[in-house]
């Protein structure tokens, strides 16, 4: 019998992203509860409309600290630590730049250089002041804005996994549009992994470079090809370099991270994207539990290591490098 014969799929659009849930039982009620949970976190974390807890913090920039929900506080604390790593490409305070580029939203354009430098001055993660006792967050300068777009989907994918576990569901898959979290394997038979496609950059949605197989792991991809616009013959994508204010420009088209928790995958895709292949592989050599698949612009697929997944190349125009 085909592997997918007993898989029930449920879909929704939340956080501006297609959401897909796969279960091994027909359970509309459970799917509804999962989508409600995602909506709950979207309402807390969004920066695309008010009110949300993060928007409340942004509106109070330069004025006063804002007490937030403990879960939101912990996520912001985690995002701040990632932002303060040496030479980190991740910056939770990148909001002013995201808002002026508007990449992936209507009206995206290349901002004037002086606007980029003015906004860059409002993105220091050191000026995000946290108070562990109050669970409050204070942005010290007016005009500062948090943006958790690079971490929130991962955090939410993990909460969905935890919720499903609490409902005694130990097999399934949630895809939050680039953040895939798998529970167990892909069949009631033990040892059947889930297959997650590695997308071919700038190709159709079903056009794959290859397939990643995992069980009970998260697979997160960040790429230059999902949200971008073209101006004067040049492509501008949505992962910004916190040191320049412009999209990160290196040899990479995408980075995929396989890890236990999707929040780590989300943070590490951005960190590793900023490092490039060589430095990224060197860094991950000391990080058991976090593994990367790099796709380069010159059509190489580089694997940092392969303890957590297997990868099968399908597109022979790409070259697999160990
Ligand atoms: P990742 O590579 O994981 O993250 C890229 C995103 O992180 C960028 O889009 C930007 O928001 C931010 N970012 C850019 N550079 C950096 C950096 N150096 N450090 C840290 N962060 C950076 N999309 C819509 O179109 N409409 C919506 O209403 C909408 N609502 C959302 C609500 C929530 C709660 C979340 C989490 C996302 C929402 N999105 C929405 C999608 C959002 O705008 C981002 O496009 C998305 O989160 C990017 O995720 P990713 O995994 O594709 O990319
Ligand atoms: Mg990310
Ligand atoms: Mg992401």
């Amino acid at each position: 019998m085909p592997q997918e014969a007993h898989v029930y799929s449920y879909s929704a659009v939340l956080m501006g992203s297609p959401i897909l849930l796969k279960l091994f039982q027909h359970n509309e009620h459970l799917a509804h509860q999962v989508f409600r949970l995602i909506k709950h976190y979207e309402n807390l974390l969004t920066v695309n409309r008010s009110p949300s807890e993060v928007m409340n913090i942004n509106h109070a920039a330069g004025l006063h600290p804002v007490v937030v929900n403990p879960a939101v506080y912990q996520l912001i604390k985690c995002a701040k630590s990632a932002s303060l790593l040496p030479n980190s490409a991740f910056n939770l305070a990148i909001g002013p730049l995201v808002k002026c580029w508007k990449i992936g939203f209507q009206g995206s354009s290349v901002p004037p250089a002086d606007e980029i430098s003015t906004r860059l001055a409002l993105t220091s993660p050191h000026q995000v002041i946290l108070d562990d006792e109050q669970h409050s967050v204070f942005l010290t300068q007016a005009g500062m804005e948090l943006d958790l777009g690079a971490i929130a989907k991962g955090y939410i994918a993990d909460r969905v996994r935890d919720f499903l576990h609490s409902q005694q569901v130990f097999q399934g898959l949630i895809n939050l549009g680039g953040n895939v979290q798998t529970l167990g394997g892909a069949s009631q038979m033990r040892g059947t992994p889930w297959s997650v496609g590695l997308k071919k950059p700038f190709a159709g949605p079903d056009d794959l470079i290859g397939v990643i197989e995992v069980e009970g792991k998260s697979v997160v991809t960040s790429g230059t090809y999902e949200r971008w616009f073209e101006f004067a013959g040049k492509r501008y994508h949505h992962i910004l370099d916190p040191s320049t204010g412009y999209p990160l420009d290196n040899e990479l088209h995408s980075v995929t991270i396989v890890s236990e928790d999707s929040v780590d995958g989300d943070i590490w895709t951005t960190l590793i994207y900023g490092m490039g292949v060589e430095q990224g592989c060197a860094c991950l050599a000391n990080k058991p539990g976090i593994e990367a698949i790099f796709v380069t612009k010159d059509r190489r697929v580089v694997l940092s290591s392969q303890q957590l997944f297997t990868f099968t190349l399908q597109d022979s125009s790409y070259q697999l490098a160990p």
Side-chain angles (χ1 to χ4, degrees):
M1 191 169 283
Q3 174 187 313
E4 298 266 311
H6 299 287
V7 177
Y8 298 89
S9 296
Y10 302 89
S11 55
V13 176
L14 295 162
M15 303 185 289
S17 311
I19 311 288
L20 177 69
L21 173 68
K22 291 187 178 191
L23 298 171
F24 283 90
Q25 45 183 278
H26 178 57
N27 193 336
E28 297 262 2
H29 177 64
L30 187 66
H32 183 69
Q33 285 179 303
V34 165
F35 295 145
R36 222 174 39 200
L37 183 68
I38 297 169
K39 188 75 195 160
H40 163 75
Y41 283 112
E42 177 177 2
N43 289 342
L44 292 173
L45 300 170
T46 186
V47 290
N48 295 308
R49 60 188 149 71
S50 288
S52 77
E53 296 239 319
V54 178
M55 286 304 283
N56 293 345
I57 296 166
N58 292 348
H59 286 317
L63 298 173
H64 56 81
V66 173
V67 175
V68 292
N69 163 311
V72 174
Y73 184 81
Q74 288 309 326
L75 180 62
I76 291 173
K77 191 168 172 169
C78 170
K80 181 178 173 183
S81 317
S83 308
L84 292 179
L85 291 170
N87 301 316
S88 179
F90 186 101
N91 184 347
L92 85 164
I94 198 95
L97 286 164
V98 173
K99 284 283 157 56
C100 83
W101 280 95
K102 299 195 190 78
I103 300 174
F105 293 86
Q106 270 205 326
S108 48
S109 62
V110 182
D114 58 344
E115 189 175 352
I116 292 195
S117 52
T118 308
R119 290 188 178 234
L120 204 50
L122 294 169
T123 61
S124 169
H126 292 282
Q127 292 181 359
V128 179
I129 307 299
L130 304 182
D131 181 327
D132 282 348
E133 277 183 16
Q134 300 290 324
H135 283 164
S136 71
V137 184
F138 179 39
L139 308 181
T140 61
Q141 284 192 70
M144 286 181 71
E145 289 182 58
L146 298 184
D147 183 316
L148 302 179
I151 186 172
K153 284 201 225 166
Y155 175 81
I156 297 169
D158 293 337
R159 299 295 73 76
V160 170
R161 173 202 56 197
D162 295 349
F163 169 72
L164 290 171
H165 283 169
S166 77
Q167 303 301 303
Q168 305 303 309
V169 175
F170 298 104
Q171 279 191 298
L173 177 149
I174 182 82
N175 184 350
L176 303 182
N179 282 72
V180 177
Q181 177 60 269
T182 64
L183 286 75
S187 115
Q188 273 113 339
M189 277 174 15
R190 288 174 72 90
T192 311
W194 289 100
S195 297
V196 181
L198 180 63
K199 277 194 194 170
K200 186 169 172 175
F202 304 104
D206 299 325
D207 232 336
L208 302 180
I209 296 177
V211 172
I212 303 158
E213 290 186 309
V214 287
E215 268 186 76
K217 298 282 178 285
S218 154
V219 181
V220 179
T221 300
S222 261
T224 54
Y225 53 85
E226 291 289 355
R227 288 178 182 243
W228 55 275
F229 71 97
E230 200 168 287
F231 179 73
K234 190 170 158 41
R235 278 201 193 113
Y236 296 88
H237 66 83
H238 72 148
I239 309 167
L240 302 175
D241 182 341
S243 65
T244 65
Y246 288 83
L248 265 164
D249 194 12
N250 57 24
E251 82 262 52
L252 293 170
H253 263 328
S254 71
V255 174
T256 299
I257 297 284
V258 180
S259 57
E260 193 70 28
D261 289 328
S262 200
V263 73
D264 291 330
D266 225 355
I267 293 170
W268 279 93
T269 45
T270 309
L271 291 176
I272 292 289
Y273 201 95
M275 292 179 196
V277 176
E278 202 176 320
Q279 203 195 335
C281 282
C283 176
L284 291 183
N286 305 317
K287 288 265 162 211
I290 312 273
E291 297 185 344
I293 301 166
F294 301 85
V295 175
T296 66
K297 290 177 183 164
D298 63 359
R299 293 183 174 246
R300 284 178 301 129
V301 178
V302 184
L303 312 177
S304 70
S305 54
Q306 248 190 111
Q307 307 293 315
L308 307 176
F309 67 94
T310 58
F311 177 74
T312 310
L313 188 71
Q314 289 182 339
D315 184 329
S316 59
S317 70
Y318 281 78
Q319 196 194 351
L320 189 59

